[in-house]
Amino acid sequence: MGIKDIGLVIQPQQEEIFHEHLYAYAEKKNLRLHYIPQHEQKGIAHAVAQAEDFLGSDSFVLLLGDNLIDDSLQKLKDSFQQTSAHGTVLVTKVSKPQDYGIADIKDNMIVRVEEKPVKPKSNLAVIGAYIFKSSIFNAIHSITPSARGEYEITDAIQWMIDHQYDINYVKTTKPTFDVGTIDRWLKANQWMLKQHGSSTDAEFLDEKPNNNVIIPPVVIGDNCTIEDSVIGPYVSIEANTIIKKSIVRNSIILKGCHIENMPYEITDSILGERTKLFGKYMNDNTIQVVFGDESKFFLSSDKESKDKGSE
Ligand code: G1P
């Protein structure tokens, strides 16, 4: 799209993670990355406000970091440039409109947006790609926090509409995922692995058979040790992880985890960085756990408790 400068609004302590994952890519593509700290997490509009000095009076693309969109944004850019709209948003049909900002449309324009409506007027969700003129900052500085305590980008868009700044939209029918819940993150992982999984599998199988059964698609990061285990399908394992004598299916295992001798199959699970799961100390009555903030742990596969967990 001709964009060379990318501002990443992040919690200050996350800079290292982004640097590690993006620096080489940005260099190769000749992109300049600018880290913009957001010291308090007060919503998307608040995040955009942190970038005001960086953006100046330029129009800009806003992408939500937890949205995966399998479509080019060229149509969004074209539509924005061909009209006098102050904002163009990407929309898509969703099955659970209560989870999204929902658009009410008329004559190619958005006439109303509502954040996570209890009674949605449509199933057209505003998904995480937007283009705005700098006039959006008038809106951002005027809105107040929502019921969930956030400065909502939806409220900023509604402020624009109410003050006669046109907002139009482009519809995508390609896959999109908001990975903001466990279930949706796992679904996005499945989808990504279906698209890109195979090459890493073959490489891994050749190099480290180690008495494993690997059921593709699976992605295994650098410097992992996997022995006597069944992995897959739909498992993503980040670097420096050790898995021994365990079964892992449909899961996301972040960096530096260690899973050993697990008597239960690990399925539909997400393990944060450096999580340790050791089965060998277990007997019938006790487990020892060290979980990070907001961890969830299900011994049963019963549907009701899982659904609760994914909220
Ligand atoms: C945010 C926006 C919402 C949008 C969604 C897309 O919701 O507030 O309008 O539809 O992203 O993923 P959140 O992820 O903050 O709940």
Side-chain angles (χ1 to χ4, degrees):
M1 293 172 74
I3 292 173
K4 290 287 172 208
D5 285 279
I6 299 184
L8 290 156
V9 180
I10 54 169
Q11 292 185 34
Q13 67 270 30
Q14 292 176 326
E15 185 167 330
E16 199 190 317
I17 303 173
F18 283 97
H19 199 72
E20 184 188 325
H21 285 88
L22 293 178
Y23 187 74
Y25 178 82
E27 283 266 285
K28 204 165 79 191
K29 297 274 178 183
N30 216 4
L31 298 168
R32 288 179 293 269
L33 296 182
H34 307 258
Y35 296 102
I36 301 163
Q38 184 190 24
H39 294 279
E40 292 173 289
Q41 282 60 61
K42 290 190 188 166
I44 298 166
H46 178 261
V48 177
Q50 311 312 302
E52 190 168 359
D53 286 347
F54 165 69
L55 293 164
S57 57
D58 289 352
S59 299
F60 63 95
V61 176
L62 167 65
L63 294 177
L64 307 187
D66 60 358
N67 277 228
L68 182 60
I69 298 167
D70 186 31
D71 200 358
S72 152
L73 299 178
Q74 192 60 42
K75 279 180 287 177
L76 197 71
K77 183 182 172 186
D78 292 346
S79 172
F80 178 76
Q81 287 183 331
Q82 283 156 13
T83 66
S84 57
H86 282 246
T88 304
V89 302
L90 191 67
V91 298
T92 190
K93 278 189 185 164
V94 292
S95 54
K96 223 177 148 199
Q98 292 84 352
D99 288 351
Y100 297 88
I102 294 300
D104 208 354
I105 56 179
K106 203 177 168 197
D107 304 331
N108 294 325
M109 288 294 160
I110 304 228
V111 289
R112 193 174 153 73
V113 274
E114 218 181 331
E115 187 63 32
K116 302 190 176 53
V118 182
K119 288 190 184 144
K121 293 194 182 62
S122 83
N123 61 356
L124 262 194
V126 177
I127 201 76
Y130 319 71
I131 303 189
F132 292 116
K133 287 189 177 163
S134 60
S135 49
I136 190 73
F137 288 110
N138 299 336
I140 288 174
H141 294 312
S142 305
I143 58 173
T144 52
S146 64
R148 64 170 173 168
E150 293 194 5
Y151 291 88
E152 305 284 352
I153 195 65
T154 306
D155 290 343
I157 296 171
Q158 187 60 48
W159 188 97
M160 298 286 275
I161 297 167
D162 292 344
H163 291 79
Q164 281 72 53
Y165 293 97
D166 285 345
I167 303 285
N168 70 346
Y169 67 91
V170 165
K171 209 188 270 184
T172 179
T173 50
K174 298 276 179 65
T176 61
F177 302 87
D178 170 339
V179 301
T181 67
I182 301 297
D183 279 353
R184 295 198 301 235
W185 192 5
L186 288 169
K187 279 202 185 97
N189 181 55
Q190 281 202 6
W191 180 83
M192 274 303 250
L193 286 172
K194 273 185 203 156
Q195 312 291 309
H196 304 291
S198 325
S199 58
T200 320
D201 303 336
E203 202 180 299
F204 188 82
L205 278 173
D206 285 350
E207 282 177 11
K208 305 176 190 171
N210 288 339
N211 201 27
N212 297 317
V213 177
I214 308 269
I215 307 163
V218 166
V219 164
I220 298 168
D222 293 339
N223 197 27
C224 289
T225 303
I226 302 190
E227 292 171 11
D228 306 311
S229 293
V230 180
I231 309 289
Y234 307 116
V235 176
S236 291
I237 302 172
E238 282 196 344
N240 304 322
T241 286
I242 301 170
I243 302 180
K244 293 182 180 172
K245 295 199 170 82
S246 297
I247 303 173
V248 184
R249 301 187 197 281
N250 194 42
S251 294
I252 298 166
I253 317 289
L254 299 191
K255 262 196 318 205
C257 291
H258 189 156
I259 305 171
E260 193 160 337
N261 276 312
M262 280 305 284
Y264 304 108
E265 195 173 300
I266 298 166
T267 187
D268 306 342
S269 297
I270 294 180
L271 269 59
E273 292 186 4
R274 297 176 300 280
T275 299
K276 312 256 182 277
L277 288 179
F278 291 111
K280 64 183 167 186
Y281 300 117
M282 291 177 90
N283 62 38
D284 286 347
N285 304 314
T286 66
I287 56 167
Q288 182 198 13
V289 297
V290 180
F291 287 156
D293 298 348
E294 297 183 47
S295 295
K296 299 185 175 77
F297 178 64
F298 304 101
L299 269 179
S300 93
S301 59
D302 110 63
K303 173 99 178 63
E304 201 181 311
S305 58
K306 273 195 181 167
D307 284 349
K308 256 189 213 146
S310 63
E311 280 163 18

